[in-house]
């Protein structure tokens, strides 16, 4: 090897060594300029505090000085070189950051106070870049860890880590009344003339939509509660399929209790009007059933309705999978069937805390994706001991967070299911109660439950409802 070749080889080796010792992205100049600007003009705090937090600073001394400035400003105290130095002394950090000498240097560093917002955005951007590098390293470690952790779970963890990068950043989202009224007037005007679509999604059940002032709205958490076998899933599927077919709204369903095939069998039975038993056992199908079967398959097949039957999901997994579906097809209604089969991020925590984490997480997810979330939940057994067996808000199992976080709560009760000795005239009657409606009235309504097809519909106007009250063990119906 000649001298030239040896020099080139050494240079390449040096470049490789420098590559392995890359300095994390940061801007010491922007950090110094921003802190110096705050020392000179405390009013600049309002221009940068919505962008940054202490952990965004790369240099330890800058993060510490930011913390001291923040403590003073939030306490409505003057913030300058001397007061910040005093605050650092009380924190036991003055010597660690270079004392008065370094603070004075910062105060002289600022090129332009007017550029403070730009400095803050630069610091935040570099902070996110460092976080991305850290997450990439963790993902790489997880990718190599093929012992004991399924690859699907590793992918969920990786996706969740990436989506969390942009969470928690402070934002300036204040809107003054004048701007709010102008935007609202434009919105009302556009909807009144039909230039803009209405911001609610009809459920397809007329009486329910009347109580809900049109239907569900993006960002709402809607809970359907009932005892087992009262029709929670049937009502959710009825609403979901109505929205997908009539409103053309993309619908996603987490079916943790039924398989995809079972959900699709119900959807087909609902639209073909073929008894669910014959759909599940095709040998009982008659020749005259097939035209309805094929038309039902074609109709449901056109619906933007996606199903996932993975069971035992926690709130983080639901968030990741829902966001993936929203990116792929859009999402306006997310059905979660059901709360009892979900777990919190930490299954070792008490169940009450897990449920609170789930309901708050679903509410936040709905707002983030701009979709309504329809959550199914079971009611405790005590409701069966009461005279009036229609559930109330206090009947939810294990948690008051359901009642607290939900925008709308709908209870379903079928008298014939609760008391099979009732006459045949009660067979199709289902009673529903809108027990919570954050932005509208409460009310009761009667629905028709068609058990052969596991679907709900409005009670026909020309059909008389059962009037007789039957005394039962639980009381009057």
């Amino acid at each position: 090897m000649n001298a030239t070749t040896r020099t080139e080889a050494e240079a390449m080796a040096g470049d490789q060594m420098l590559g392995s010792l890359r300095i994390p992205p940061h801007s010491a100049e922007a950090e110094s300029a921003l802190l110096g600007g705050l020392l000179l003009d405390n009013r600049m705090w309002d221009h940068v505090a919505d962008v940054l937090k202490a952990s965004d600073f790369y240099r330890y001394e800058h993060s510490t000085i930011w913390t001291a400035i923040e403590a003073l400003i939030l306490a409505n105290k003057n913030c300058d070189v001397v007061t910040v130095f005093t605050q650092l002394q009380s924190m036991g950090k003055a010597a660690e950051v270079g004392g008065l000498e370094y603070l004075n240097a910062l105060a002289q560093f600022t090129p332009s106070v007017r550029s403070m917002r730009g400095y803050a955005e630069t610091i935040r951007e570099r902070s996110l870049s460092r976080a991305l590098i850290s997450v990439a390293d963790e993902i790489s470690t997880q990718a190599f860890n093929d012992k004991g952790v399924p690859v699907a779970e590793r992918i969920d963890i990786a996706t969740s880590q990436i989506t969390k990068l942009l969470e928690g950043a402070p934002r300036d989202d204040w809107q003054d009344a004048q701007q709010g009224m102008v935007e609202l007037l434009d919105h009302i005007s556009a909807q009144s003339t039909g230039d803009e679509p209405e911001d609610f999604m009809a459920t397809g059940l007329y009486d329910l939509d009347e109580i809900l002032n049109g239907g569900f709205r993006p960002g709402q958490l809607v809970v359907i509660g009932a005892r087992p076998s009262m029709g929670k899933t049937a009502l959710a599927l009825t609403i979901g399929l109505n929205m997908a077919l009539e409103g053309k709204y993309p619908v996603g369903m987490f079916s943790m209790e039924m398989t995809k095939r079972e959900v699709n069998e119900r959807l087909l039975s609902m639209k073909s009007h073929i008894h669910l038993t014959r759909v599940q056992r095709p040998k009982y199908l008659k020749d005259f059933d097939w035209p309805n079967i094929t038309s039902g398959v074609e109709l449901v097949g056109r619906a933007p309705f996606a199903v996932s039957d993975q069971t035992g999901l926690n709130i983080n997994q639901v968030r990741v999978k829902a966001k993936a579906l929203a990116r792929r097809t859009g999402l306006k209604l997310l059905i979660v069937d059901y709360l009892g089969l979900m777990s919190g991020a930490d299954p070792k925590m008490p169940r009450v805390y897990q449920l609170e984490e789930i309901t708050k997480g679903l509410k936040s997810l709905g707002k983030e994706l701009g979709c309504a979330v329809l959550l199914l939940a079971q009611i405790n057994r005590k409701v069966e001991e009461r005279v009036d067996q229609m559930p109330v808000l206090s009947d939810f199992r294990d948690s008051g967070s359901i009642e607290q976080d939900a925008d709308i709560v709908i209870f379903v009760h079928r008298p014939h299911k609760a008391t099979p000795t009732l006459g045949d005239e009660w067979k199709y009657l289902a009673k529903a109660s809108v027990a919570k409606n954050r932005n509208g009235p409460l009310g009761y309504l009667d629905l028709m439950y068609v058990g052969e097809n596991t679907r709900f519909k409005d009670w026909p106007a020309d059909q008389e409802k059962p009037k007789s009250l039957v005394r039962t063990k639980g009381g009057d119906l």
Side-chain angles (χ1 to χ4, degrees), residues 264-302 452-453:
N264 287 321
E265 287 170 346
R266 286 199 178 199
L267 295 176
L268 177 57
S269 177
M270 288 167 62
K271 283 304 173 184
S272 68
H273 295 182
I274 302 297
H275 200 296
L276 180 60
T277 300
R278 299 212 299 276
V279 173
Q280 293 173 329
R281 303 190 68 183
K283 71 176 183 178
Y284 293 121
L285 287 172
K286 308 299 182 182
D287 290 341
F288 55 77
D289 287 331
W290 282 102
N292 288 340
I293 288 287
T294 53
S295 63
V297 166
E298 183 180 357
L299 182 62
V300 176
R302 293 200 301 264
E452 307 91 277
N453 309 129

Tab-separated table of all heavy atoms in Angstrom, residues 264-302 452-453:
chain	number	residue	atom	x	y	z
A	264	ASN	N	-69.423	-9.942	10.563
A	264	ASN	CA	-69.893	-9.887	9.181
A	264	ASN	C	-71.182	-10.681	8.979
A	264	ASN	O	-72.040	-10.294	8.177
A	264	ASN	CB	-68.804	-10.388	8.235
A	264	ASN	CG	-67.664	-9.404	8.080
A	264	ASN	OD1	-67.891	-8.198	8.030
A	264	ASN	ND2	-66.441	-9.894	8.020
A	265	GLU	N	-71.337	-11.788	9.711
A	265	GLU	CA	-72.597	-12.535	9.643
A	265	GLU	C	-73.760	-11.681	10.119
A	265	GLU	O	-74.842	-11.691	9.521
A	265	GLU	CB	-72.490	-13.815	10.482
A	265	GLU	CG	-71.614	-14.892	9.857
A	265	GLU	CD	-71.337	-16.037	10.815
A	265	GLU	OE1	-71.586	-15.877	12.033
A	265	GLU	OE2	-70.858	-17.083	10.358
A	266	ARG	N	-73.526	-10.936	11.193
A	266	ARG	CA	-74.591	-10.061	11.704
A	266	ARG	C	-74.912	-8.941	10.711
A	266	ARG	O	-76.078	-8.623	10.476
A	266	ARG	CB	-74.177	-9.462	13.048
A	266	ARG	CG	-74.218	-10.447	14.204
A	266	ARG	CD	-74.255	-9.687	15.511
A	266	ARG	NE	-74.337	-10.563	16.668
A	266	ARG	CZ	-74.729	-10.173	17.863
A	266	ARG	NH1	-75.071	-8.901	18.061
A	266	ARG	NH2	-74.776	-11.003	18.873
A	267	LEU	N	-73.861	-8.342	10.152
A	267	LEU	CA	-74.087	-7.275	9.180
A	267	LEU	C	-74.883	-7.786	7.977
A	267	LEU	O	-75.795	-7.108	7.489
A	267	LEU	CB	-72.743	-6.688	8.714
A	267	LEU	CG	-71.911	-5.964	9.778
A	267	LEU	CD1	-70.574	-5.524	9.189
A	267	LEU	CD2	-72.655	-4.765	10.341
A	268	LEU	N	-74.544	-8.974	7.506
A	268	LEU	CA	-75.260	-9.545	6.364
A	268	LEU	C	-76.707	-9.849	6.723
A	268	LEU	O	-77.627	-9.573	5.945
A	268	LEU	CB	-74.550	-10.820	5.886
A	268	LEU	CG	-75.220	-11.566	4.735
A	268	LEU	CD1	-75.394	-10.667	3.523
A	268	LEU	CD2	-74.421	-12.817	4.383
A	269	SER	N	-76.928	-10.411	7.904
A	269	SER	CA	-78.293	-10.718	8.338
A	269	SER	C	-79.115	-9.446	8.465
A	269	SER	O	-80.292	-9.414	8.088
A	269	SER	CB	-78.261	-11.460	9.678
A	269	SER	OG	-79.564	-11.712	10.157
A	270	MET	N	-78.491	-8.384	8.963
A	270	MET	CA	-79.203	-7.117	9.148
A	270	MET	C	-79.705	-6.562	7.824
A	270	MET	O	-80.818	-6.043	7.740
A	270	MET	CB	-78.274	-6.097	9.822
A	270	MET	CG	-77.990	-6.385	11.285
A	270	MET	SD	-76.608	-5.411	11.953
A	270	MET	CE	-77.247	-3.763	11.762
A	271	LYS	N	-78.894	-6.657	6.781
A	271	LYS	CA	-79.264	-6.037	5.512
A	271	LYS	C	-79.973	-6.985	4.553
A	271	LYS	O	-80.727	-6.550	3.683
A	271	LYS	CB	-78.011	-5.447	4.836
A	271	LYS	CG	-77.574	-4.141	5.461
A	271	LYS	CD	-78.722	-3.134	5.435
A	271	LYS	CE	-78.411	-1.860	6.189
A	271	LYS	NZ	-79.567	-0.952	6.235
A	272	SER	N	-79.746	-8.281	4.673
A	272	SER	CA	-80.443	-9.235	3.791
A	272	SER	C	-81.796	-9.641	4.357
A	272	SER	O	-82.643	-10.181	3.639
A	272	SER	CB	-79.582	-10.480	3.598
A	272	SER	OG	-79.469	-11.213	4.816
A	273	HIS	N	-82.003	-9.384	5.697
A	273	HIS	CA	-83.218	-9.778	6.413
A	273	HIS	C	-83.390	-11.294	6.428
A	273	HIS	O	-84.498	-11.798	6.598
A	273	HIS	CB	-84.466	-9.104	5.821
A	273	HIS	CG	-84.461	-7.628	5.978
A	273	HIS	ND1	-85.488	-6.821	5.553
A	273	HIS	CD2	-83.536	-6.778	6.518
A	273	HIS	CE1	-85.209	-5.553	5.802
A	273	HIS	NE2	-84.029	-5.521	6.391
A	274	ILE	N	-82.281	-12.013	6.268
A	274	ILE	CA	-82.270	-13.468	6.418
A	274	ILE	C	-81.953	-13.793	7.866
A	274	ILE	O	-81.053	-13.179	8.464
A	274	ILE	CB	-81.220	-14.116	5.491
A	274	ILE	CG1	-81.488	-13.740	4.029
A	274	ILE	CG2	-81.209	-15.623	5.664
A	274	ILE	CD1	-82.794	-14.227	3.488
A	275	HIS	N	-82.684	-14.733	8.451
A	275	HIS	CA	-82.475	-15.100	9.849
A	275	HIS	C	-81.004	-15.422	10.084
A	275	HIS	O	-80.372	-16.131	9.287
A	275	HIS	CB	-83.339	-16.310	10.203
A	275	HIS	CG	-83.562	-16.472	11.680
A	275	HIS	ND1	-82.529	-16.726	12.566
A	275	HIS	CD2	-84.698	-16.417	12.441
A	275	HIS	CE1	-83.015	-16.830	13.786
A	275	HIS	NE2	-84.336	-16.629	13.743
A	276	LEU	N	-80.443	-14.879	11.183
A	276	LEU	CA	-79.028	-15.060	11.477
A	276	LEU	C	-78.652	-16.541	11.546
A	276	LEU	O	-77.564	-16.936	11.117
A	276	LEU	CB	-78.682	-14.366	12.805
A	276	LEU	CG	-77.220	-14.459	13.255
A	276	LEU	CD1	-76.281	-13.829	12.235
A	276	LEU	CD2	-77.029	-13.800	14.621
A	277	THR	N	-79.557	-17.379	12.048
A	277	THR	CA	-79.271	-18.819	12.148
A	277	THR	C	-79.001	-19.412	10.779
A	277	THR	O	-78.090	-20.241	10.605
A	277	THR	CB	-80.450	-19.548	12.810
A	277	THR	OG1	-80.664	-19.025	14.118
A	277	THR	CG2	-80.163	-21.045	12.912
A	278	ARG	N	-79.761	-18.990	9.765
A	278	ARG	CA	-79.574	-19.540	8.424
A	278	ARG	C	-78.296	-18.999	7.784
A	278	ARG	O	-77.673	-19.680	6.973
A	278	ARG	CB	-80.788	-19.234	7.542
A	278	ARG	CG	-82.076	-19.849	8.071
A	278	ARG	CD	-83.043	-20.249	6.957
A	278	ARG	NE	-83.477	-19.121	6.135
A	278	ARG	CZ	-84.467	-18.307	6.447
A	278	ARG	NH1	-85.120	-18.463	7.599
A	278	ARG	NH2	-84.813	-17.327	5.633
A	279	VAL	N	-77.916	-17.757	8.145
A	279	VAL	CA	-76.644	-17.226	7.653
A	279	VAL	C	-75.479	-18.004	8.248
A	279	VAL	O	-74.496	-18.310	7.566
A	279	VAL	CB	-76.512	-15.724	7.991
A	279	VAL	CG1	-75.124	-15.195	7.638
A	279	VAL	CG2	-77.577	-14.922	7.254
A	280	GLN	N	-75.592	-18.362	9.523
A	280	GLN	CA	-74.526	-19.090	10.198
A	280	GLN	C	-74.498	-20.569	9.822
A	280	GLN	O	-73.450	-21.206	9.904
A	280	GLN	CB	-74.689	-18.942	11.717
A	280	GLN	CG	-74.459	-17.520	12.227
A	280	GLN	CD	-74.791	-17.374	13.695
A	280	GLN	OE1	-75.677	-18.050	14.226
A	280	GLN	NE2	-74.077	-16.473	14.371
A	281	ARG	N	-75.663	-21.111	9.402
A	281	ARG	CA	-75.742	-22.528	8.992
A	281	ARG	C	-76.358	-22.589	7.596
A	281	ARG	O	-77.553	-22.840	7.419
A	281	ARG	CB	-76.564	-23.322	9.992
A	281	ARG	CG	-76.021	-23.245	11.418
A	281	ARG	CD	-76.715	-24.220	12.330
A	281	ARG	NE	-76.401	-25.596	12.006
A	281	ARG	CZ	-76.927	-26.670	12.624
A	281	ARG	NH1	-77.814	-26.488	13.582
A	281	ARG	NH2	-76.590	-27.887	12.277
A	282	PRO	N	-75.525	-22.381	6.578
A	282	PRO	CA	-76.022	-22.225	5.202
A	282	PRO	C	-76.822	-23.413	4.675
A	282	PRO	O	-77.601	-23.247	3.730
A	282	PRO	CB	-74.733	-22.039	4.390
A	282	PRO	CG	-73.748	-21.497	5.372
A	282	PRO	CD	-74.086	-22.147	6.669
A	283	LYS	N	-76.682	-24.580	5.273
A	283	LYS	CA	-77.451	-25.729	4.759
A	283	LYS	C	-78.951	-25.537	4.967
A	283	LYS	O	-79.769	-26.220	4.344
A	283	LYS	CB	-76.978	-27.022	5.414
A	283	LYS	CG	-77.353	-27.191	6.875
A	283	LYS	CD	-76.906	-28.560	7.386
A	283	LYS	CE	-77.331	-28.795	8.833
A	283	LYS	NZ	-76.933	-30.139	9.298
A	284	TYR	N	-79.324	-24.597	5.837
A	284	TYR	CA	-80.744	-24.315	6.059
A	284	TYR	C	-81.280	-23.225	5.129
A	284	TYR	O	-82.452	-22.876	5.193
A	284	TYR	CB	-80.978	-23.895	7.517
A	284	TYR	CG	-80.743	-25.014	8.515
A	284	TYR	CD1	-79.790	-24.893	9.520
A	284	TYR	CD2	-81.484	-26.204	8.437
A	284	TYR	CE1	-79.573	-25.915	10.432
A	284	TYR	CE2	-81.267	-27.227	9.341
A	284	TYR	CZ	-80.315	-27.078	10.330
A	284	TYR	OH	-80.099	-28.101	11.228
A	285	LEU	N	-80.402	-22.650	4.296
A	285	LEU	CA	-80.859	-21.635	3.365
A	285	LEU	C	-81.787	-22.231	2.314
A	285	LEU	O	-81.571	-23.351	1.820
A	285	LEU	CB	-79.659	-20.979	2.666
A	285	LEU	CG	-78.803	-20.024	3.506
A	285	LEU	CD1	-77.555	-19.612	2.738
A	285	LEU	CD2	-79.607	-18.799	3.918
A	286	LYS	N	-82.811	-21.471	1.960
A	286	LYS	CA	-83.748	-21.892	0.922
A	286	LYS	C	-83.352	-21.229	-0.397
A	286	LYS	O	-82.603	-20.254	-0.417
A	286	LYS	CB	-85.175	-21.478	1.304
A	286	LYS	CG	-85.603	-21.921	2.695
A	286	LYS	CD	-85.590	-23.425	2.850
A	286	LYS	CE	-86.058	-23.838	4.241
A	286	LYS	NZ	-85.999	-25.314	4.439
A	287	ASP	N	-83.865	-21.766	-1.470
A	287	ASP	CA	-83.549	-21.195	-2.781
A	287	ASP	C	-83.950	-19.731	-2.863
A	287	ASP	O	-83.249	-18.914	-3.472
A	287	ASP	CB	-84.256	-21.992	-3.890
A	287	ASP	CG	-83.659	-23.384	-4.060
A	287	ASP	OD1	-82.512	-23.598	-3.604
A	287	ASP	OD2	-84.330	-24.260	-4.653
A	288	PHE	N	-85.088	-19.383	-2.234
A	288	PHE	CA	-85.550	-18.003	-2.313
A	288	PHE	C	-84.734	-17.053	-1.421
A	288	PHE	O	-84.932	-15.846	-1.457
A	288	PHE	CB	-87.048	-17.899	-1.964
A	288	PHE	CG	-87.408	-18.481	-0.619
A	288	PHE	CD1	-87.151	-17.801	0.558
A	288	PHE	CD2	-88.020	-19.734	-0.539
A	288	PHE	CE1	-87.492	-18.331	1.791
A	288	PHE	CE2	-88.368	-20.267	0.694
A	288	PHE	CZ	-88.106	-19.569	1.861
A	289	ASP	N	-83.828	-17.617	-0.588
A	289	ASP	CA	-82.968	-16.772	0.248
A	289	ASP	C	-81.797	-16.174	-0.525
A	289	ASP	O	-81.299	-15.100	-0.169
A	289	ASP	CB	-82.401	-17.576	1.421
A	289	ASP	CG	-83.433	-17.881	2.494
A	289	ASP	OD1	-84.371	-17.065	2.631
A	289	ASP	OD2	-83.295	-18.901	3.185
A	290	TRP	N	-81.366	-16.861	-1.578
A	290	TRP	CA	-80.118	-16.484	-2.226
A	290	TRP	C	-80.136	-15.102	-2.867
A	290	TRP	O	-79.131	-14.373	-2.795
A	290	TRP	CB	-79.691	-17.555	-3.231
A	290	TRP	CG	-79.078	-18.724	-2.516
A	290	TRP	CD1	-79.660	-19.914	-2.240
A	290	TRP	CD2	-77.778	-18.768	-1.935
A	290	TRP	NE1	-78.814	-20.725	-1.532
A	290	TRP	CE2	-77.636	-20.052	-1.331
A	290	TRP	CE3	-76.714	-17.879	-1.861
A	290	TRP	CZ2	-76.490	-20.441	-0.665
A	290	TRP	CZ3	-75.558	-18.269	-1.210
A	290	TRP	CH2	-75.449	-19.537	-0.616
A	291	PRO	N	-81.209	-14.675	-3.512
A	291	PRO	CA	-81.205	-13.296	-4.033
A	291	PRO	C	-80.983	-12.260	-2.929
A	291	PRO	O	-80.258	-11.281	-3.131
A	291	PRO	CB	-82.598	-13.168	-4.666
A	291	PRO	CG	-82.971	-14.555	-5.035
A	291	PRO	CD	-82.411	-15.411	-3.934
A	292	ASN	N	-81.603	-12.471	-1.760
A	292	ASN	CA	-81.402	-11.546	-0.642
A	292	ASN	C	-79.972	-11.622	-0.107
A	292	ASN	O	-79.388	-10.612	0.300
A	292	ASN	CB	-82.388	-11.842	0.487
A	292	ASN	CG	-83.806	-11.444	0.150
A	292	ASN	OD1	-84.024	-10.626	-0.739
A	292	ASN	ND2	-84.767	-12.021	0.834
A	293	ILE	N	-79.406	-12.844	-0.100
A	293	ILE	CA	-78.029	-13.007	0.359
A	293	ILE	C	-77.072	-12.243	-0.544
A	293	ILE	O	-76.215	-11.479	-0.080
A	293	ILE	CB	-77.640	-14.497	0.403
A	293	ILE	CG1	-78.341	-15.211	1.567
A	293	ILE	CG2	-76.121	-14.661	0.523
A	293	ILE	CD1	-77.796	-14.865	2.932
A	294	THR	N	-77.200	-12.415	-1.848
A	294	THR	CA	-76.276	-11.764	-2.777
A	294	THR	C	-76.439	-10.240	-2.762
A	294	THR	O	-75.450	-9.504	-2.813
A	294	THR	CB	-76.485	-12.293	-4.206
A	294	THR	OG1	-77.867	-12.164	-4.568
A	294	THR	CG2	-76.092	-13.758	-4.297
A	295	SER	N	-77.688	-9.767	-2.677
A	295	SER	CA	-77.892	-8.311	-2.628
A	295	SER	C	-77.371	-7.743	-1.317
A	295	SER	O	-76.811	-6.645	-1.269
A	295	SER	CB	-79.372	-7.968	-2.812
A	295	SER	OG	-80.155	-8.501	-1.751
A	296	GLY	N	-77.527	-8.516	-0.223
A	296	GLY	CA	-76.996	-8.082	1.077
A	296	GLY	C	-75.480	-8.019	1.074
A	296	GLY	O	-74.892	-7.071	1.612
A	297	VAL	N	-74.846	-9.026	0.462
A	297	VAL	CA	-73.383	-9.032	0.370
A	297	VAL	C	-72.895	-7.826	-0.422
A	297	VAL	O	-71.933	-7.155	-0.047
A	297	VAL	CB	-72.895	-10.343	-0.277
A	297	VAL	CG1	-71.431	-10.232	-0.691
A	297	VAL	CG2	-73.073	-11.511	0.681
A	298	GLU	N	-73.573	-7.540	-1.527
A	298	GLU	CA	-73.180	-6.405	-2.357
A	298	GLU	C	-73.366	-5.082	-1.612
A	298	GLU	O	-72.512	-4.198	-1.665
A	298	GLU	CB	-74.006	-6.392	-3.646
A	298	GLU	CG	-73.611	-5.275	-4.595
A	298	GLU	CD	-74.435	-5.289	-5.868
A	298	GLU	OE1	-75.270	-6.205	-6.037
A	298	GLU	OE2	-74.253	-4.371	-6.692
A	299	LEU	N	-74.473	-4.954	-0.889
A	299	LEU	CA	-74.763	-3.712	-0.169
A	299	LEU	C	-73.771	-3.483	0.954
A	299	LEU	O	-73.169	-2.407	1.062
A	299	LEU	CB	-76.193	-3.756	0.380
A	299	LEU	CG	-76.677	-2.500	1.125
A	299	LEU	CD1	-76.678	-1.295	0.190
A	299	LEU	CD2	-78.057	-2.729	1.712
A	300	VAL	N	-73.587	-4.478	1.814
A	300	VAL	CA	-72.661	-4.333	2.940
A	300	VAL	C	-71.232	-4.172	2.443
A	300	VAL	O	-70.434	-3.435	3.030
A	300	VAL	CB	-72.779	-5.526	3.902
A	300	VAL	CG1	-71.743	-5.415	5.025
A	300	VAL	CG2	-74.176	-5.609	4.498
A	301	GLY	N	-70.913	-4.848	1.347
A	301	GLY	CA	-69.563	-4.768	0.803
A	301	GLY	C	-69.169	-3.372	0.364
A	301	GLY	O	-67.978	-3.056	0.291
A	302	ARG	N	-70.158	-2.531	0.075
A	302	ARG	CA	-69.867	-1.151	-0.330
A	302	ARG	C	-69.677	-0.221	0.868
A	302	ARG	O	-69.280	0.932	0.707
A	302	ARG	CB	-71.010	-0.606	-1.203
A	302	ARG	CG	-71.140	-1.278	-2.548
A	302	ARG	CD	-71.934	-0.391	-3.503
A	302	ARG	NE	-73.274	-0.094	-3.000
A	302	ARG	CZ	-74.363	-0.767	-3.331
A	302	ARG	NH1	-74.271	-1.810	-4.162
A	302	ARG	NH2	-75.542	-0.422	-2.843
A	452	GLU	N	-84.271	-11.786	14.993
A	452	GLU	CA	-83.837	-12.705	13.941
A	452	GLU	C	-82.631	-12.158	13.193
A	452	GLU	O	-81.790	-12.902	12.694
A	452	GLU	CB	-84.964	-12.938	12.928
A	452	GLU	CG	-86.283	-13.376	13.532
A	452	GLU	CD	-87.185	-12.203	13.861
A	452	GLU	OE1	-86.998	-11.623	14.934
A	452	GLU	OE2	-88.073	-11.883	13.037
A	453	ASN	N	-82.553	-10.837	13.106
A	453	ASN	CA	-81.460	-10.195	12.371
A	453	ASN	C	-80.569	-9.371	13.284
A	453	ASN	O	-79.700	-8.640	12.800
A	453	ASN	CB	-82.016	-9.281	11.268
A	453	ASN	CG	-83.036	-9.967	10.378
A	453	ASN	OD1	-84.121	-9.438	10.163
A	453	ASN	ND2	-82.707	-11.141	9.868
